[in-house]
Structure formats: structure tokens, C-alpha cells
Amino acid sequence: MLQDIDIDCAFIGGSKNIKQVLEILIKKKKKPQGRFVVSAVKIETVAIAMEITKRNNCLQELIQIQISRGNELAGGTMFKPENPIFLVVGGTKC
């Protein structure tokens, strides 16, 4: 179980049980250097992570990453964007 593990950093991907996972991580923050990162593609997941980290005074940073891939177009190269990825960084203040 997650409750039985000594965690000082975590990377969370996906949205299943995100509320419960974040609440457990925030309660376990005993080390001042501890932190966690939530990776999300759904804005709803970002909203949940932001609300929980703000409520617990441990939001450090919100980052939006956009990646584009080069594709051939009329003898040249164009960039075709992929879906954006959001990173919610929390910790140390918890």
C-alpha cells in the first residue's frame, strides 16, 4: 500500500484516483525537500491537482509543454503540434 511506503518524491501520471493519491502524498510530506509532479493531458486533471495543491499550500509551479513533430510538406518541413502536456509541481511547503 502507498500509505506504508516512505516517499520523498513522486511522479504521477494519469487521472485515476488522483485525489486520493495526492491527499496521501501531501499527508506523507515529512521531508522538507520532498516534492511530487503530476503529469496531465486533461484540463480536468490539472484543475483537480491545482485545487488540492493550492488548498494545502504546496503548489510550486504549473508548466505547459507543447511538442511538435516535423513533417514533410511540399518539399519542405512543417511542424505538426501534438497535444499539450501539463505538469503540476508541488511539495516542500506542504
Side-chain angles (χ1 to χ4, degrees):
M1 287 302 286
L2 186 58
Q3 293 91 337
D4 300 331
I5 300 172
D6 185 23
I7 299 171
D8 64 352
C9 64
F11 189 85
I12 306 151
S15 56
K16 186 174 183 180
N17 300 319
I18 188 74
K19 290 179 186 180
Q20 294 86 353
V21 171
L22 284 175
E23 294 293 347
I24 290 168
L25 287 172
I26 289 169
K27 286 179 186 174
K28 293 184 76 58
K29 306 274 1 118
K30 296 177 185 170
K31 298 182 179 180
Q33 73 276 16
R35 73 175 11 179
F36 55 85
V37 176
V38 177
S39 170
V41 294
K42 295 184 347 185
I43 195 68
E44 293 83 3
T45 304
V46 173
I48 291 168
M50 292 287 292
E51 187 273 322
I52 292 171
T53 55
K54 281 183 177 181
R55 178 173 15 104
N56 288 282
N57 193 32
C58 60
L59 175 65
Q60 289 185 344
E61 191 171 23
L62 173 62
I63 303 167
Q64 187 263 324
I65 301 168
Q66 178 65 53
I67 297 174
S68 298
R69 296 184 188 271
N71 288 293
E72 187 177 329
L73 177 67
T77 304
M78 67 168 273
F79 281 102
K80 192 172 186 179
E82 298 287 337
N83 288 331
I85 299 166
F86 299 91
L87 299 178
V88 180
V89 181
T92 66
K93 297 178 188 174
C94 301

